[in-house]
């Protein structure tokens, strides 16, 4: 019997089917509802973010799973080691302390949305003096909006008042009702919310403030650097062949430039 077990173990090892290898070939992704980049559909994670990661994982020979959570919960799962990676996230110094970022996937921008009766063509933060501005928080957009307020104070301008919202939609509804002066949001996300909430043509995009890139990111506690390197190399291969660009553009979104 011992000889038989050894025989089958030898076959398995030759084929690469060790328990350790099997476990190492998996990445558990978590994300949040963030249409048009990522969203739930038929009880599954869907959208261009999912399609991209699927293609990268297939290219790299990695088994990837996906789960959609509220933003705070997704971050906690990452910090607690119950998830390995996140997708469609912005980059900032605080996140870099506990996340290793992939090459960028999407290019978009943060900007200002206003009520349709406001004719402002936004191009300088001085135009926002005295505004009350809604923003989803906690988020990278909230971090950037706080920096705008700090810069206004440094320039001696009447600073904005920030209205932090627990979701994107409630800020846009307040704007449409005239209860705040503007919303600071991702351009593509804002347009998606406006369409989904039926707020057009009462709310419009007044202009961009800052270009932004979205990435996948691995928890620093995820120790398999070889797997991360394979993932990143697969993304670069898909980008160079044009397959990643085709996926992103098929959703009417803008791909990032390959770093």
């Amino acid at each position: 019997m011992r000889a038989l077990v050894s025989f089958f173990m030898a076959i398995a090892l030759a084929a690469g089917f060790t328990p350790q290898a099997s476990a190492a070939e998996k990445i558990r992704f978590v994300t949040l509802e963030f249409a048009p980049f990522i969203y739930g559909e038929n009880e599954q994670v869907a959208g261009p973010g999912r399609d991209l990661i699927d293609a990268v994982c297939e290219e790299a020979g990695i088994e990837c799973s996906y789960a959609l959570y509220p933003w705070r919960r997704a971050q906690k799962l990452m910090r607690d080691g119950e998830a390995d990676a996140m997708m469609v996230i912005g980059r900032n110094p605080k996140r870099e302390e506990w996340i290793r970022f992939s090459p960028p996937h999407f290019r978009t921008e943060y900007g200002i949305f206003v009520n349709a009766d406001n004719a402002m063509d936004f191009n300088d933060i001085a135009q926002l003096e005295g505004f009350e501005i809604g923003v989803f928080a906690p988020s990278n957009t909230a971090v950037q909006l706080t920096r705008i307020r700090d810069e206004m104070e440094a320039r001696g301008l009447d600073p904005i008042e920030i209205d932090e919202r627990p979701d994107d939609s409630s800020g846009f509804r307040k704007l449409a009702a005239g209860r705040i002066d503007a919303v600071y949001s991702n351009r593509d996300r804002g347009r998606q919310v406006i369409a989904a909430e039926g707020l057009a043509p009462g709310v419009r995009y007044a202009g961009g403030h800052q270009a932004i890139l979205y990435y996948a990111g691995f928890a620093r506690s995820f120790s398999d650097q070889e797997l991360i390197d394979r993932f990143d190399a697969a993304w670069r291969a898909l980008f160079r062949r044009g397959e990643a660009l085709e996926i992103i553009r098929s959703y009417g979104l803008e791909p990032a430039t390959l770093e």
Side-chain angles (χ1 to χ4, degrees):
M1 175 62 75
R2 182 176 299 174
L4 188 61
V5 170
S6 298
F7 173 74
F8 283 115
M9 285 186 66
I11 293 174
L13 286 168
F17 295 127
T18 67
Q20 292 84 357
S22 177
E25 303 301 313
K26 297 180 181 178
I27 301 176
R28 300 166 298 175
F29 280 92
V30 291
T31 188
L32 75 162
E33 178 80 29
F34 192 55
F37 300 96
I38 201 81
Y39 44 85
E41 186 176 84
N42 299 323
E43 300 184 355
Q44 298 290 324
V45 177
R50 167 68 186 268
D51 290 354
L52 274 177
I53 301 299
D54 272 348
V56 172
C57 291
E58 182 178 356
E59 176 82 8
I62 301 169
E63 180 183 340
C64 294
S65 62
Y66 309 91
L68 205 65
Y69 290 98
W71 183 229
R72 291 179 190 269
R73 175 64 173 157
Q75 292 182 87
K76 186 175 188 306
L77 289 168
M78 284 273 285
R79 292 179 183 274
D80 291 349
E82 296 179 44
D84 306 314
M86 307 180 83
M87 54 185 177
V88 194
I89 55 172
R91 189 171 185 168
N92 64 46
K94 267 194 170 182
R95 289 178 184 169
E96 288 180 355
E97 294 174 2
W98 59 282
I99 296 176
R100 287 176 288 193
F101 287 88
S102 72
H105 294 179
F106 298 93
R107 186 190 184 282
T108 182
E109 66 184 31
Y110 293 159
I112 298 293
F113 289 83
V114 295
N115 201 283
D117 60 9
N118 183 337
M120 178 180 68
D121 181 15
F122 175 74
N123 52 52
D124 188 271
I125 62 174
Q127 296 169 277
L128 306 178
E129 279 195 292
F131 274 34
E132 182 179 5
I133 302 180
V135 67
F136 167 58
S139 69
N140 213 29
T141 43
V143 171
Q144 296 302 324
L145 188 60
T146 300
R147 289 176 180 167
I148 288 177
R149 182 181 62 192
D150 294 345
E151 184 180 346
M152 293 179 77
E153 291 175 347
R155 287 170 57 179
L157 301 171
D158 183 12
I160 59 173
E161 181 179 341
I162 298 175
D163 178 39
E164 294 190 347
R165 310 301 307 162
D167 56 68
D168 291 296
S169 299
S170 61
F172 280 97
R173 288 195 297 268
K174 285 185 74 173
L175 175 60
R179 294 167 54 202
I180 55 177
D181 301 298
V183 167
Y184 187 74
S185 174
N186 172 283
R187 174 194 62 198
D188 299 298
R189 172 61 178 162
R191 288 170 174 166
Q192 175 79 20
V193 170
I194 289 168
E197 295 286 332
L199 301 177
V203 175
R204 69 176 188 87
Y205 189 58
H209 169 248
Q210 178 179 343
I212 192 75
L213 302 174
Y214 285 137
Y215 305 75
F218 292 84
R220 291 196 177 272
S221 58
F222 184 71
S223 59
D224 194 335
Q225 185 61 47
E226 188 273 337
L227 202 62
I228 296 173
D229 291 343
R230 277 171 53 193
F231 180 92
D232 289 349
W235 161 253
R236 294 178 188 279
L238 289 176
F239 187 98
R240 291 190 180 101
R241 295 203 304 262
E243 294 170 33
L245 308 181
E246 185 177 343
I247 291 170
I248 294 169
R249 288 170 177 157
S250 72
Y251 284 88
L253 299 172
E254 182 181 354
T257 300
L258 185 64
E259 292 180 349

